[in-house]
Amino acid sequence: MATRRALHFVFKVGNRFQTARFYRDVLGMEVLRHEEFEEGCKAACNGPYDGKWSKTMVGFGPEDNHFVAELTYNYGIKNYQLGNDFKGITIASSQAVSNAKKLKWPLTEIAEGVFETEAPGGYKFYLQDRSPPQPDPVLKVTLAVSDLQKSLNYWSNLLGMKIYEKDEEKQRALLGYADNQCKLELQGIKGAVNHAAAFGRIAFSCPEKELPDLEDLMKREKQEILTPLVSLDTPGKATVQVVILADPVSVP
């Protein structure tokens, strides 16, 4: 599965100015591309909204070899109710910690050299005050699951991810497609996972020829398919084939 890779996480944002300030001035990311749309995405990229919206990709480097954030803005929607599904993104960057302190952006040190902060909208980020151990400073995305073993079966056995760490006592596991790319961390919680209105998505690249077989596998395994295989046109980029799946106990 070495040809698969974690690509981006989709956030819904209500304040583009403050959000841009956080990602650019605090984290140190750059705007990679920005697109405006007059109507909703046919794969519901911007959520269940049909009106005008925009998409801004931000990251520490090119989308081809960095995990980035996709910031979706629906015109007229100023805020979104948070659920308990998204637990945070962990970034190794002494520069981001320094930027936050200089700008007086709220930081809470939760462990030695590890700071918790929030992006506008309440999305949590964990900043490690050290140099990145890999080319991409984004280390992992943490999502909540209500049944860790069921989710491990989904991500590992069905989607082919390698399990790097597993802690039954703390109900957490770390998975990924390669050592040097952003990982997916699953954190077990008590009770149901609530996506609320702010629910996001995590995207992975996959060779186009594998997508029909992957979709067939999910059908055979009776797993939920949110959006069947579809072609999406992207201005300035090649048309991409997309299928959107749902972890049975986590976030789509």
Side-chain angles (χ1 to χ4, degrees), residues 1 15 17 30 50 53 88 90 124 128 142 157 167 192 202:
M1 298 295 178
N15 186 322
F17 175 77
E30 58 185 88
D50 294 328
W53 67 289
T90 299
K124 292 188 182 299
Q128 297 181 358
T142 305
N157 294 341
D167 188 326
I202 188 167

Side-chain angles (χ1 to χ4, degrees), residues 217-238:
L217 172 63
M218 292 301 168
K219 289 177 181 177
R220 292 197 305 273
E221 294 292 328
K222 295 180 170 51
Q223 299 293 332
E224 185 176 4
I225 298 173
L226 297 176
T227 302
L229 189 58
V230 62
S231 296
L232 294 181
D233 294 326
T234 303
K237 296 190 71 177

Side-chain angles (χ1 to χ4, degrees), residues 54-99:
S54 72
K55 174 170 70 175
T56 307
M57 310 300 289
V58 296
F60 290 105
E63 293 176 66
D64 290 343
N65 50 25
H66 287 73
F67 187 86
V68 306
E70 177 179 318
L71 310 176
T72 62
Y73 175 77
N74 290 290
Y75 284 85
I77 309 295
K78 299 303 181 184
N79 55 69
Y80 299 90
Q81 180 185 356
L82 292 175
N84 62 1
D85 47 1
F86 176 76
K87 293 301 183 184
I89 286 181
T90 299
I91 295 172
S93 172
S94 295
Q95 187 61 56
V97 174
S98 175
N99 292 344

Side-chain angles (χ1 to χ4, degrees), residues 183-218:
K183 306 296 190 301
L184 170 65
E185 182 177 55
L186 304 177
Q187 177 63 61
I189 62 171
K190 294 181 179 179
V193 174
N194 174 23
H195 304 299
F199 71 90
R201 289 176 175 171
I202 188 167
F204 298 88
S205 65
C206 177
E208 186 177 324
K209 63 183 180 182
E210 294 179 11
L211 288 176
D213 290 339
L214 181 59
E215 185 177 47
D216 289 341
L217 172 63
M218 292 301 168

Side-chain angles (χ1 to χ4, degrees), residues 10-243:
V10 182
F11 293 100
K12 296 188 187 72
V13 303
N15 186 322
R16 285 201 292 188
F17 175 77
Q18 284 296 329
T19 297
R21 181 169 179 255
F22 174 77
Y23 284 93
R24 182 188 62 234
D25 300 341
V26 177
L27 296 185
M29 291 183 174
E30 58 185 88
V31 175
L32 304 172
R33 58 187 169 99
H34 176 81
E35 300 160 26
E36 295 280 341
F37 303 91
E38 293 299 323
E39 56 186 21
C41 171
K42 60 183 177 181
C45 309
N46 62 316
Y49 304 96
D50 294 328
K52 184 178 179 181
W53 67 289
S54 72
K55 174 170 70 175
T56 307
M57 310 300 289
V58 296
F60 290 105
E63 293 176 66
D64 290 343
N65 50 25
H66 287 73
F67 187 86
V68 306
E70 177 179 318
L71 310 176
T72 62
Y73 175 77
N74 290 290
Y75 284 85
I77 309 295
K78 299 303 181 184
N79 55 69
Y80 299 90
Q81 180 185 356
L82 292 175
N84 62 1
D85 47 1
F86 176 76
K87 293 301 183 184
I89 286 181
T90 299
I91 295 172
S93 172
S94 295
Q95 187 61 56
V97 174
S98 175
N99 292 344
K101 290 179 177 179
K102 187 181 301 182
L103 294 168
K104 293 181 168 48
W105 197 275
L107 285 178
T108 301
E109 190 166 14
I110 59 173
E112 186 176 355
V114 181
F115 297 84
E116 179 182 291
T117 190
E118 288 186 2
Y123 303 109
K124 292 188 182 299
F125 283 74
Y126 297 92
L127 308 180
Q128 297 181 358
D129 192 4
R130 63 177 179 129
S131 298
Q134 59 192 41
D136 184 0
V138 183
L139 303 183
K140 63 183 179 180
V141 178
T142 305
L143 304 178
V145 296
S146 58
D147 185 327
L148 182 60
Q149 191 52 52
K150 192 172 182 180
S151 281
L152 281 175
N153 175 68
Y154 183 85
W155 289 99
S156 181
N157 294 341
L158 296 184
L159 293 179
M161 276 190 162
K162 175 184 175 181
I163 299 175
Y164 284 87
E165 299 174 13
K166 182 180 178 182
D167 188 326
E168 292 280 4
E169 185 177 349
K170 294 182 178 179
Q171 279 293 287
R172 62 170 292 276
L174 189 70
L175 304 94
Y177 283 119
D179 297 350
N180 63 346
Q181 62 175 251
C182 177
K183 306 296 190 301
L184 170 65
E185 182 177 55
L186 304 177
Q187 177 63 61
I189 62 171
K190 294 181 179 179
V193 174
N194 174 23
H195 304 299
F199 71 90
R201 289 176 175 171
I202 188 167
F204 298 88
S205 65
C206 177
E208 186 177 324
K209 63 183 180 182
E210 294 179 11
L211 288 176
D213 290 339
L214 181 59
E215 185 177 47
D216 289 341
L217 172 63
M218 292 301 168
K219 289 177 181 177
R220 292 197 305 273
E221 294 292 328
K222 295 180 170 51
Q223 299 293 332
E224 185 176 4
I225 298 173
L226 297 176
T227 302
L229 189 58
V230 62
S231 296
L232 294 181
D233 294 326
T234 303
K237 296 190 71 177
T239 298
V240 295
Q241 304 296 314
V242 175
V243 59

